[in-house]
Amino acid sequence: METYLQTDRVTLRRFGADDADLLIELDSDPAVVRYLSGGAPTAPEVVRERILPSILTGYERWSGAFGVFAAHETDGGAFIGWFCLRPEPGGPLDEVELGYRLRQAAWGNGYATEVSAALLEKAFTGLDVRTVWGATMALNTPSQRVMEKVGMAVVEHLGTPDDMLAVEGAELGGHRYEITREQWEQRRAARP
């Protein structure tokens, strides 16, 4: 498969039609989906019939520029999860979501920060993106730390979607983080 992005330690590629088992395994870990479903695994048929086809359609919709990408360790090739850089369905191409979901074995290694920083650079220097945003539950402090490390800041408090009301901390809602191209450029220029 063609590489979408490569950092020192992680390679992103498009998912293929035969990658459902990777997504099923990832979403079967209660800790991984804690802030998405309250720990309930995603049913395999939902992955095969809805999630993976939607991911594959996204590559066509956005001509491969955006989407959800499988993440593998560059050395050894172990699957560690996925990252997304994508517009809202029907939304403008210059405002995109940054997201990630990693296997527990990959947590605490700095992969989310490393790849998120590289995706911001790709978005702002190669894809003509104006704003990158991400959303997270208020209790999901590890995800918040990643966004803050790459220069994103809270711009809005979010209510909890109806399908997530059973999730731990649902009453606290969530946060929308953003960074604009101008903010990213200023941050980059200020680095020694």
Side-chain angles (χ1 to χ4, degrees), residues 66 85-88 91-97 119-133 152 155 176-186:
F66 301 107
L85 188 66
R86 62 183 174 192
E88 290 280 357
L93 297 180
D94 66 349
E95 185 174 310
V96 299
E97 174 191 14
L119 285 169
L120 288 178
E121 182 171 354
K122 181 177 184 84
F124 292 134
T125 64
L127 297 174
D128 202 29
V129 170
R130 178 182 47 83
T131 302
V132 175
W133 65 273
M152 299 174 79
V155 296
R176 178 181 170 108
Y177 282 75
E178 284 185 4
I179 187 169
T180 65
R181 180 171 43 231
E182 294 76 21
Q183 291 166 333
W184 179 82
E185 289 170 346
Q186 289 169 359

Side-chain angles (χ1 to χ4, degrees), residues 15 19-34 36-37 39-44 47 51 55 68-71 79-83 99-107:
F15 278 101
D19 286 329
D21 288 343
L22 295 176
L23 294 166
I24 291 166
E25 183 267 331
L26 181 66
D27 281 12
S28 69
D29 183 336
V32 170
V33 294
R34 173 182 175 190
L36 301 167
S37 68
T42 305
V47 172
I51 295 173
I55 289 171
V68 178
F69 300 93
F79 175 72
I80 61 169
W82 59 254
F83 287 82
Y100 33 83
R101 188 172 306 166
L102 300 178
R103 297 174 70 204
Q104 278 194 73
W107 293 0

Side-chain angles (χ1 to χ4, degrees), residues 132-149:
V132 175
W133 65 273
T136 185
M137 296 291 290
L139 285 185
N140 192 350
T141 55
S143 186
Q144 293 168 32
R145 281 195 302 270
V146 169
M147 288 188 264
E148 290 163 2
K149 285 179 186 176

